[in-house]
Amino acid sequence: MPSFQQRKAVGDAHEQRIAEELTARRWAVNPWGQGVLTHPVQAALRRTDSSLRWTPDLLAAKDGHVAMIDCKSSMTSRATHRHAIESAAVRAHLQLVAWTVLPLDSAFGPRRRSSVLSDAA
């Protein structure tokens, strides 16, 4: 299993790609969530049950509309190989949508194929 830093590097690249794609579509995009925090604060927050752990990665605005974007890169279930979101993240996102009255979208990255499927292809 990749280390947190390896997963974070993949996630950061995915966030950057999503931000660039939104910018190309004339959205104003700002980083948000844990990505704007210092590493010690990120590490401490990961050891809590706080809903702040699941704050979306980006805020985007266009023509007076604002949306929260949570970038999910290669977050797949080991059992089904489908994209997966932890139930704690879903609960936190529902609370955040209710509190902010803003839409929240997930931007999924490409799914990784398991080595078993890759070997069969």
Side-chain angles (χ1 to χ4, degrees):
M1 173 175 255
S3 71
F4 171 77
Q5 291 304 329
Q6 291 167 322
R7 291 190 321 270
K8 179 147 178 30
V10 170
D12 289 347
H14 180 58
E15 288 173 30
Q16 182 64 34
R17 185 178 63 80
I18 295 300
E20 289 170 359
E21 288 184 20
L22 288 168
T23 300
R25 292 176 172 91
R26 301 177 71 178
W27 284 80
V29 181
N30 287 329
W32 196 42
Q34 285 195 56
V36 300
L37 302 174
T38 62
H39 291 292
V41 174
Q42 288 176 4
L45 194 54
R46 279 195 311 272
R47 290 190 299 269
T48 73
D49 291 329
S50 172
S51 292
L52 286 176
R53 291 183 61 197
W54 310 109
T55 305
D57 305 300
L58 304 170
L59 283 179
K62 181 180 180 182
D63 299 331
H65 299 283
V66 180
M68 300 176 287
I69 313 292
D70 196 39
C71 301
K72 301 291 186 188
S73 58
S74 303
M75 304 277 297
T76 56
S77 163
R78 290 183 186 156
T80 66
H81 305 290
R82 295 181 180 173
H83 287 293
I85 300 176
E86 290 186 44
S87 58
V90 172
R91 279 192 304 276
H93 288 170
L94 290 171
Q95 292 168 348
L96 187 59
V97 167
W99 176 60
T100 62
V101 193
L102 294 173
L104 189 151
D105 294 306
S106 294
F108 293 98
R111 293 186 308 191
R112 289 184 290 175
R113 296 173 71 186
S114 73
S115 58
V116 173
L117 293 176
S118 297
D119 292 340

